[in-house]
Amino acid sequence: MKKDRQERFKELLDYYNDLTGFGETEPNAIMHHSLGQIGPDCEKCGKSYRTPKAKLCAACGNKRTLTE
């Protein structure tokens, strides 16, 4: 089953491996990283919040004010 999945996602795996230089063999390891799961950039340090609803920047500790 794992071999079948690797064959079906060969193009994705090849692209990812060429882009990163990492020898990834599991398509799910790539697919679960979607941009919708990452928050906006921190106003203080510029690194991304871990989630769109995060109230604290994990990198610098900046407290974010959420506007709904």
Side-chain angles (χ1 to χ4, degrees), residues 29-40 48-54:
I30 301 167
M31 298 302 290
H32 85 270
H33 293 285
S34 69
L35 291 176
Q37 296 174 336
I38 301 171
S48 298
Y49 285 98
R50 289 187 174 178
T51 69
K53 293 183 178 182

Side-chain angles (χ1 to χ4, degrees), residues 9-68:
F9 291 98
K10 182 180 181 346
E11 189 175 331
L12 171 70
L13 289 167
D14 289 346
Y15 176 74
Y16 180 83
N17 293 338
D18 288 343
L19 186 68
T20 64
F22 183 75
E24 184 61 65
T25 59
E26 179 56 55
N28 288 338
I30 301 167
M31 298 302 290
H32 85 270
H33 293 285
S34 69
L35 291 176
Q37 296 174 336
I38 301 171
D41 292 341
C42 173
E43 301 81 15
K44 186 175 177 183
C45 72
K47 295 193 178 188
S48 298
Y49 285 98
R50 289 187 174 178
T51 69
K53 293 183 178 182
K55 297 178 183 176
L56 181 73
C57 177
C60 72
N62 183 49
K63 292 183 180 180
R64 176 178 169 209
T65 306
L66 294 175
T67 55
E68 294 182 34

